[in-house]
Amino acid sequence: MPPASAIPDPELAELMAFFQETLGFVPNSVRTMAYRPAIARAFVALNRAVMVNHGRVTSEQKRLVALLASNAAGCRYCQAHAALAAQRYGASTDRLRALWEFRDSPLFTPAEKAAFEFAVAAASIPNAVDAAIAAELRAHWDEGEIVELLGVISLFGFLNRWNDSMATTLEPDAQALANDVLGSHGWTPGKHG
């Protein structure tokens, strides 16, 4: 489905400006939601609530969690967006490239590794979060931080289904970064190209 070219709802247009900071553009996924402005408004509000930082979980870490969750779900569109946003919030190219081997990489802390393991397991179908993953997560993060992490995973679960079902067209900046940092790990735009 093509994204809406115009956003006639001024409130929604103002809300969508949020993505100028996170991505540098309003994503086609939200432009597609704009065919039903109430859905787009609710999504933007949820996105803002989930991505705000309340504790030690950084903006970069949230985007890396989103990238791993989207990889587990198979959504190429969301992988590209999460990588671009992670970079905009400070992720180095080295950290982005090493994310696929996070378990063995010295570029990630034990707390990050616990969050990443949780992201992969929680985004898997069926859900693969077990007692060991939950215990390791709790060893590094408090309840509020775990809620933040699961909020990101769940938000991207919605986006993964939306974008893969809609075959949302990937924007050039997101595709270029994904080609560069994710391509060596098999990433292609697939149906989003």
Side-chain angles (χ1 to χ4, degrees):
M1 173 179 298
S5 55
I7 310 300
D9 181 329
E11 177 191 353
L12 179 56
E14 185 178 326
L15 285 172
M16 290 168 74
F18 161 76
F19 294 102
Q20 292 296 330
E21 175 195 332
T22 61
L23 293 169
F25 54 85
V26 175
N28 286 335
S29 57
V30 181
R31 290 184 178 282
T32 304
M33 291 174 207
Y35 284 108
R36 293 294 181 259
I39 293 173
R41 278 193 299 276
F43 171 76
V44 174
L46 179 61
N47 191 308
R48 292 174 86 168
V50 166
M51 291 308 201
V52 69
N53 299 328
H54 295 284
R56 295 179 303 135
V57 185
T58 69
S59 294
E60 180 219 15
Q61 289 166 332
K62 286 183 177 185
R63 275 61 183 195
L64 295 176
V65 162
L67 177 51
L68 285 167
S70 296
N71 185 61
C75 182
R76 306 296 186 148
Y77 181 90
C78 292
Q79 290 171 43
H81 276 228
L84 178 62
Q87 184 185 59
R88 288 177 67 91
Y89 284 101
S92 67
T93 300
D94 289 342
R95 276 174 61 89
L96 285 168
R97 287 190 175 131
L99 190 60
W100 311 113
E101 291 86 31
F102 71 85
R103 292 173 185 97
D104 301 315
S105 175
L107 296 177
F108 305 106
T109 68
E112 288 176 319
K113 290 177 183 184
F116 297 161
E117 198 70 57
F118 179 64
V120 171
S124 295
I125 297 176
N127 186 296
V129 176
D130 60 18
I133 290 170
E136 185 65 16
L137 188 67
R138 284 192 303 274
H140 297 281
W141 302 99
D142 68 26
E143 290 84 358
E145 292 161 343
I146 293 169
V147 166
E148 284 185 69
L149 292 167
L150 187 54
V152 173
I153 297 161
S154 299
L155 175 72
F156 274 81
F158 173 85
L159 284 168
N160 297 157
R161 299 300 171 263
W162 185 276
N163 290 307
D164 265 356
S165 298
M166 291 286 186
T168 307
T169 303
L170 195 54
E171 302 81 3
D173 289 351
Q175 185 168 339
L177 178 76
N179 284 334
D180 181 41
V181 300
L182 307 178
S184 63
H185 295 282
W187 185 91
T188 64
K191 62 179 151 185
H192 305 289

